[in-house]
Amino acid sequence: MILPIVLQHLCPPFVSFFGLGAVSAAVMSSADSSILSASSMFARNIYQLTFRQSASDREIVWVMRITIFVFGGLATLMALVTGTVYGLWYLSSDLVYVIIFPQLLSVLFVKGTNTYGSVAAYLFGMVLRIGGGEPYLQLPPFIYYPGWTTEQRIHHISGEMEEVVIQKFPFKTMSMVASFLGNVAFSYLTKYLFESGKISHKYDFLDAVHSGETMDKTTLVTRSNNIGLSEMAPVKPRLSVTLAAAFTRRDTLPKEMVVEEEESSSDSSHHDEE
């Protein structure tokens, strides 16, 4: 914020005009890039991969256009409600810590997590975090954690004195831990229910539990049958006759190869004589 103040108060008017225009252009460029990236991630990673796997490119483009207006309206509403840019930055860092960080831990260090656990973790973290209230967005708490108190503060728009609830309990860290544990627990629960047959695979609408397409070193599993690799016929490695004939030291070849080469040579010579 120092540069706009310097341009406005310590520079000639024509310098302020071009300087503030450049700053405004940079801010608008960052803002529209953020909104476009958010709409693109929603259309591709959520709408197409989760709800409409068969969506066409034209449909995805229309979803992006609609979400651009939605996210732009929400961003404008947040800018009008809050009284400080620092508050928005502080809130976004809270959401990254509470929601995104547990997802990253699950992806990197927990093998069995899936989409169902990820959705549950998002909901757990969001409800517990927003439930503690957010003074910057004028959101009153609906979950009162232990040790909460109230303070008198002046409203940044009306200038009136208001009562604000202060949460002294570390509910943000608790929300992060609950989101991570919810991801792990719900992922393993849904995996057990689908793989054990307690819930039919036709209800796996997110296609997150691929028990029918698992392949490891000992078992080849398909949707129709299970084939143990130990039950398959053994394959004896062998060299072709042409490759065997390229060796000059015949004593290094297996005895079976030498016999096979001699038989092949005798057959070919007999065929030439005829």
Side-chain angles (χ1 to χ4, degrees), residues 57-257:
D57 293 338
R58 181 180 178 86
E59 182 178 352
I60 296 300
V61 170
W62 275 105
V63 172
M64 291 177 59
R65 291 173 179 173
I66 295 173
T67 51
I68 285 175
F69 285 100
V70 174
F71 291 150
L74 292 176
T76 304
L77 180 62
M78 292 177 61
L80 294 176
V81 170
T82 187
T84 172
V85 178
Y86 174 77
L88 293 177
W89 178 85
Y90 186 76
L91 178 61
S92 64
S93 63
D94 277 356
L95 295 179
V96 170
Y97 174 65
V98 172
I99 298 178
I100 307 299
F101 181 62
Q103 303 288 335
L104 178 63
L105 290 180
S106 301
V107 169
L108 295 179
F109 302 108
V110 183
K111 185 178 180 181
T113 54
N114 52 41
T115 308
Y116 297 103
S118 178
V119 173
Y122 269 102
L123 295 178
F124 291 159
M126 180 67 72
V127 170
L128 293 176
R129 172 61 185 88
I130 301 300
E134 182 52 54
Y136 292 111
L137 297 180
Q138 307 299 319
L139 293 177
F142 58 86
I143 299 177
Y144 293 89
Y145 294 96
W148 65 277
T149 58
T150 58
E151 291 183 0
Q152 298 291 331
R153 292 183 180 179
I154 299 177
H155 195 272
H156 66 278
I157 297 178
S158 62
E160 299 178 354
M161 190 68 65
E162 62 179 0
E163 192 175 73
V164 179
V165 177
I166 304 299
Q167 304 275 9
K168 295 185 177 181
F169 185 79
F171 68 97
K172 300 175 183 178
T173 301
M174 187 206 69
S175 303
M176 185 272 294
V177 175
S179 178
F180 175 72
L181 296 179
N183 192 349
V184 176
F186 209 79
S187 295
Y188 280 98
L189 176 61
T190 53
K191 184 178 180 181
Y192 166 75
L193 293 176
F194 282 115
E195 291 185 349
S196 63
K198 297 183 181 299
I199 299 179
S200 177
H201 285 281
K202 66 181 181 180
Y203 297 110
D204 185 12
F205 63 95
L206 295 180
D207 198 21
V209 182
H210 302 280
S211 61
E213 298 178 353
T214 304
M215 182 175 181
D216 55 22
K217 295 181 179 180
T218 59
T219 306
L220 180 64
V221 182
T222 61
R223 291 188 180 272
S224 58
N225 53 3
N226 297 339
I227 304 174
L229 295 183
S230 59
E231 301 176 0
M232 298 177 66
V235 178
K236 184 178 180 180
R238 51 170 293 182
L239 295 174
S240 65
V241 177
T242 305
L243 182 61
F247 287 90
T248 58
R249 295 189 58 186
R250 298 168 60 87
D251 56 338
T252 60
L253 294 175
K255 186 177 180 180
E256 295 82 359
M257 290 295 171

Side-chain angles (χ1 to χ4, degrees), residues 257-273:
M257 290 295 171
V258 178
V259 174
E260 184 178 356
E261 182 186 0
E262 291 177 353
E263 293 178 354
S264 177
S265 300
S266 61
D267 293 341
S268 62
S269 60
H270 179 70
H271 180 71
D272 293 338
E273 291 176 359

Side-chain angles (χ1 to χ4, degrees), residues 25-66:
V27 172
M28 288 188 293
S29 175
S30 301
D32 61 30
S33 299
S34 301
I35 294 176
L36 180 61
S37 63
S39 62
S40 177
M41 287 188 292
F42 174 83
R44 292 289 185 182
N45 299 341
I46 298 179
Y47 181 81
Q48 185 179 24
L49 296 181
T50 303
F51 300 105
R52 288 272 296 174
Q53 289 85 3
S54 60
S56 62
D57 293 338
R58 181 180 178 86
E59 182 178 352
I60 296 300
V61 170
W62 275 105
V63 172
M64 291 177 59
R65 291 173 179 173
I66 295 173

